[in-house]
Amino acid sequence: MPYHIGGRKRDPRIPIKHNEVLEHLDGDPKKLTLIDDSPDGRFPVNFSLGKSGRAVDATHMPTRFRRKGNKGLPMYEVDNAWGGGLIVTDKFRKIVESFEPAVHQFFPIQIEQGGKVIVERFIFYICNRLDSLAKEYCSPQIGPDEFYNPIHDGNDKIVFASSQIMNVSAWCDRFTVGRYVSDELFASLASENFTGFGFKQYDEI
């Protein structure tokens, strides 16, 4: 069963709920774009909409950040970044790359506070883009070329087609939003009990 994954989930090991404010010291996140933004059934395809499954142009990618506030509190091991990316640890990166070497993007960053580097992380972007929904089983039902937009009324149901995912371990879908991973990759990530790691399981046929 596929899982959607996210960051900054409330974690009882961190004493209070907090939002991280990271000020970039180089680069310019507002200028980040995809290397290829050509449409392929979902329009538009661009970085700002997030979770595209396309590679990001690293020209303006920041490498250094200053943490503002939360001094003394641990940082999440999985947090959110722009454009549908995640801020992850090196251990997280190694697990993903053990499943799909040289497929996804991991941009190294340093996070500073009080004039010194306190942690090193990676900004992770998924670089597989699939048409993976079993659309006839989704609720509300959608046509083969329609975008799935849940109503969030309690009756929504996303179903994935294993025949369309095949052996891919991490992907974004052309017709809905989200970061999805396979059972096997999820099990390896979940076994590490990363702080901030959020997830939701979906059906598959």
Side-chain angles (χ1 to χ4, degrees):
M1 301 294 179
Y3 287 80
H4 175 270
I5 61 170
R8 200 178 295 183
K9 180 184 178 182
R10 176 73 177 95
D11 194 302
R13 290 168 291 175
I14 296 178
I16 62 172
K17 183 177 180 179
H18 65 281
N19 289 325
E20 292 292 357
V21 178
L22 301 178
E23 178 183 51
H24 63 94
L25 301 177
D26 62 2
D28 188 347
K30 293 181 179 178
K31 294 181 179 179
L32 290 173
T33 60
L34 301 176
I35 293 173
D36 174 13
D37 62 0
S38 58
D40 60 0
R42 172 182 164 193
F43 182 82
V45 180
N46 63 44
F47 177 83
S48 64
L49 288 181
K51 306 177 185 68
S52 70
R54 298 270 183 92
V56 176
D57 185 336
T59 303
H60 301 286
M61 182 65 66
T63 63
R64 296 175 57 227
F65 294 85
R66 180 186 294 118
R67 187 191 198 194
K68 302 180 72 173
N70 296 328
K71 188 173 183 180
L73 288 177
M75 297 194 69
Y76 293 111
E77 294 172 304
V78 182
D79 207 338
N80 298 318
W82 336 271
L86 293 175
I87 298 174
V88 302
T89 64
D90 189 45
K91 183 178 287 187
F92 189 108
R93 178 188 67 83
K94 288 177 178 176
I95 292 172
V96 173
E97 295 212 315
S98 72
F99 280 80
E100 294 185 311
V103 172
H104 308 289
Q105 290 179 307
F106 291 90
F107 299 104
I109 62 172
Q110 293 184 330
I111 300 175
E112 305 172 14
Q113 192 167 33
K116 64 179 181 180
V117 175
I118 58 170
V119 295
E120 295 187 349
R121 294 282 195 264
F122 291 86
I123 300 177
F124 165 45
Y125 290 101
I126 290 174
C127 295
N128 284 320
R129 182 175 172 86
L130 305 180
D131 178 2
S132 60
L133 295 181
K135 298 181 180 66
E136 65 274 26
Y137 293 94
C138 292
S139 178
Q141 194 174 52
I142 56 175
D145 296 317
E146 291 185 276
F147 184 77
Y148 181 80
N149 187 19
I151 302 172
H152 301 298
D153 62 355
N155 297 313
D156 303 328
K157 186 177 183 181
I158 299 178
V159 181
F160 289 87
S162 58
S163 61
Q164 294 164 218
I165 299 169
M166 301 185 73
N167 295 321
V168 173
S169 294
W171 72 96
C172 297
D173 191 271
R174 287 168 50 194
F175 295 99
T176 193
V177 297
R179 311 172 203 89
Y180 301 100
V181 297
S182 66
D183 275 341
E184 296 80 8
L185 176 52
F186 172 77
S188 292
L189 293 171
S191 70
E192 297 295 336
N193 205 19
F194 294 113
T195 59
F197 183 55
F199 56 87
K200 182 176 180 180
Q201 186 181 40
Y202 289 99
D203 291 334
E204 180 180 1
I205 61 167

